[in-house]
Amino acid sequence: MAAGGATGSRSTRVGYWLRHAAVVLAALAVVGGLIVASGIVPIKASAGHWPITRWFLSFAMARSVSTYSLPVRTPALDDPALVLKGAGHYDFGCRPCHGSPGQRPPTIALAMTPSPPYLPPAVAGWDPEELFYIVKHGVKFTAMPAWPSLRRDDEVWAMVAFLRTLPRLDATGYRRLVSGDETVGAEVARVPGLPRPRHVPGAVRTSCGPCHGVDGHGRGLGAFPRLAGQRPAYLLGSLEAYARGERHSGIMAPIAAGLGADEMRELSGYYAGLPATAAHTVSRPDRAARDLGETIAQRGVPGRRVPACAACHGPGAAPRNPMYPQLAGQYAEYLALQLRLFKDDRRGGTPYAHIMRMVAARLTPEHIAAVAAYYASLPPATEPPPLESRAAQ
């Protein structure tokens, strides 16, 4: 009887304190609501955060990133092409707030609350998995946005690869990575030995050239596609798809969205009119892989219901839809990436992209590598097929 009475007494005391705690919390919530509703809580960035608020937000961010990045698995990040791809977007999308070697964060960015950190010394405090999570998802209560396309983890990893390189760069090394030239304001990248274009549109110099080059050959490492000699209808359709968000890319979508219709047409015509030369594959494939790629391109894979690539993309003089890109001479690394993105339904594209989604879904990794190696080994097409010629008239 005594034991039962003691148990009942403890239960009564616990219930008493729980009720009182609920009343106190409810009262605090009411008081907090009234304070906020009164409008006296300052939200001005000029005041900064209280030290306790700054500590709490930093601590909460660090713990959250550490927890949510646990399942992330880091790929190899030492590929120079991956670093190059990240450098191009950093200069366009990140430098205006975070600065770069030789250029500290601008005054306007420093007036934010919290102010964006100068990244060269800051990135060393984060693991690659944590950097991936921050770059992909952004950070609440700051000006750090999420990656514009959450389907493109490959682009996020390119940014992480560059960020891991950033602390070792000086101003000269940074400019060389971003534009291929160590001089600020110099003409952006060209592949040595190619003729210099006579007229370079302004948008090429400011938006396209740092990655694709003023000569349209993509800096020569396979990080960016070769655009020189590509079909103008395909280039224009791709820019429009990027701008609409129908072709997924956190790198290209913001750039394309900032272009007007006339600029898109000018850029498409400019790159289509440049002389096309063989880009060659960066990773040299063996003969067997190239031969398998040729078989798939010319005959398809009947057992997997894969049609012949050449029917839409050449080589050959058969009439083809001008919205289908020419693949001959394109970088193998770029072609393989696009096929993997189609296979995983992460690419999007023009209104014809659904065709490639169905085809790529039936390709094995071996097929993808072989087809990419075959097309990279071909000389670029120099004459547009008859259908494209008629469409342009």
Side-chain angles (χ1 to χ4, degrees):
M1 184 71 180
T7 301
S9 178
R10 284 197 297 271
S11 299
T12 301
R13 288 197 299 272
V14 170
Y16 171 83
W17 286 112
L18 286 177
R19 287 193 297 272
H20 278 69
V23 171
V24 170
L25 289 176
L28 289 175
V30 171
V31 171
L34 291 174
I35 292 174
V36 171
S38 72
I40 65 173
V41 176
I43 53 86
K44 54 187 180 182
S46 60
H49 283 311
W50 292 330
I52 185 64
T53 304
R54 186 165 54 249
W55 173 87
F56 178 79
L57 292 175
S58 297
F59 177 76
M61 172 190 169
R63 297 310 309 147
S64 176
V65 170
S66 177
T67 298
Y68 281 100
S69 64
L70 286 175
V72 177
R73 294 294 175 262
T74 303
L77 298 178
D78 56 354
D79 182 357
L82 203 64
V83 176
L84 192 67
K85 186 186 295 186
H89 182 71
Y90 181 91
D91 194 65
F92 173 82
C94 308
R95 178 187 55 77
C97 287
H98 292 286
S100 63
Q103 180 184 344
R104 290 282 176 165
T107 302
I108 292 178
L110 292 176
M112 297 177 182
T113 298
S115 58
Y118 180 60
L119 289 184
V123 293
W126 300 96
D127 293 332
E129 299 84 2
E130 294 173 329
L131 287 173
F132 173 86
Y133 185 81
I134 293 170
V135 172
K136 180 174 181 178
H137 298 288
V139 183
K140 290 181 178 179
F141 307 116
T142 74
M144 175 67 185
W147 194 256
S149 176
L150 296 182
R151 298 191 184 195
R152 293 298 302 273
D153 285 2
D154 60 298
E155 293 180 338
V156 179
W157 281 120
M159 179 58 67
V160 173
F162 172 73
L163 290 175
R164 300 275 290 176
T165 303
L166 185 60
R168 302 193 297 271
L169 296 176
D170 57 13
T172 298
Y174 176 81
R175 294 311 312 173
R176 189 181 294 119
L177 267 179
V178 167
S179 66
D181 195 296
E182 60 191 42
T183 307
V184 176
E187 183 180 88
V188 290
R190 293 191 305 117
V191 173
L194 293 177
R196 185 186 303 271
R198 292 184 178 181
H199 169 68
V200 180
V204 169
R205 297 184 183 278
T206 59
S207 299
C208 311
C211 295
H212 297 288
V214 295
D215 53 27
H217 286 272
R219 305 284 299 274
L221 283 180
F224 311 106
R226 177 181 62 77
L227 303 184
Q230 185 57 265
R231 294 172 162 184
Y234 172 74
L235 292 176
L236 178 59
S238 296
L239 284 173
E240 292 172 340
Y242 280 128
R244 293 192 302 266
E246 294 173 3
R247 180 167 175 178
H248 312 303
S249 172
I251 295 175
M252 280 300 304
I255 295 174
L259 297 172
D262 291 340
E263 286 180 304
M264 289 186 183
R265 284 191 290 270
E266 182 183 31
L267 290 171
S268 301
Y270 169 78
Y271 278 115
L274 293 176
T277 60
H280 302 301
T281 180
V282 177
S283 56
R284 305 296 177 186
D286 57 35
R287 180 73 186 188
R290 188 216 176 267
D291 289 347
L292 173 60
E294 181 175 12
T295 299
I296 296 172
Q298 298 296 337
R299 303 177 188 174
V301 188
R304 301 181 68 93
R305 293 181 296 145
V306 174
C309 310
C312 294
H313 300 288
R320 288 179 277 130
N321 189 325
M323 290 292 289
Y324 295 163
Q326 297 182 140
L327 304 185
Q330 187 59 269
Y331 293 105
E333 291 71 19
Y334 175 77
L335 292 175
L337 173 61
Q338 301 311 299
L339 287 171
R340 290 194 297 268
L341 291 173
F342 273 125
K343 183 180 180 69
D344 296 337
D345 194 16
R346 291 179 176 270
R347 185 184 183 277
T350 69
Y352 299 94
H354 66 284
I355 300 174
M356 280 305 304
R357 283 199 297 272
M358 293 186 293
V359 172
R362 300 167 187 157
L363 294 173
T364 67
E366 181 185 17
H367 292 154
I368 289 174
V371 168
Y374 167 69
Y375 273 107
S377 71
L378 298 176
T382 56
E383 293 293 334
L387 179 62
E388 184 168 335
S389 297
R390 292 196 298 269
Q393 295 175 353

